[in-house]
Amino acid sequence: AFVPSARSVDELLEEYIKNYGTQNWSHGYYYKAQSLIKHYVSPFIGKMKIKDLSPRLIENYYRNLLQIDNALSHNQVGKRQ
């Protein structure tokens, strides 16, 4: 079994993409996943140590993402009008 050597979330995601994504994802999905990580994961929890992640932290992070998505959706609607 694959045992990650990563210490931070960013390192873990980099290892995952290298070992799984490059072999199993289409080029389009690969670049989309990298972009999502760059813009929505790395700035918020990317530098965190994996051992410091907790269910509560992930839940708070997820709630923040939903608020960002909601704000972006409202901004897009406002721009269309």
Side-chain angles (χ1 to χ4, degrees), residues 6-74:
R7 294 184 184 171
S8 72
V9 172
D10 277 342
E11 289 175 358
L12 178 66
L13 290 170
E14 186 177 317
E15 277 187 41
Y16 176 74
I17 288 173
K18 179 182 174 188
N19 292 305
Y20 181 81
T22 55
Q23 297 175 13
N24 296 293
W25 298 342
S26 69
H27 288 289
Y29 187 79
Y30 174 85
Y31 289 109
K32 181 177 180 176
Q34 283 192 317
S35 178
L36 290 171
I37 290 167
K38 178 181 176 182
H39 291 97
Y40 294 103
V41 178
S42 294
F44 302 102
I45 62 171
K47 302 296 180 222
M48 290 192 70
K49 292 183 184 329
I50 296 168
K51 67 179 183 142
D52 294 336
L53 292 177
S54 67
R56 176 177 237 160
L57 185 132
I58 297 297
E59 179 65 28
N60 288 335
Y61 166 69
Y62 181 69
R63 273 196 220 123
N64 287 336
L65 283 180
L66 290 176
Q67 290 174 349
I68 290 169
D69 184 51
N70 191 28
L72 290 173
S73 295
H74 285 353

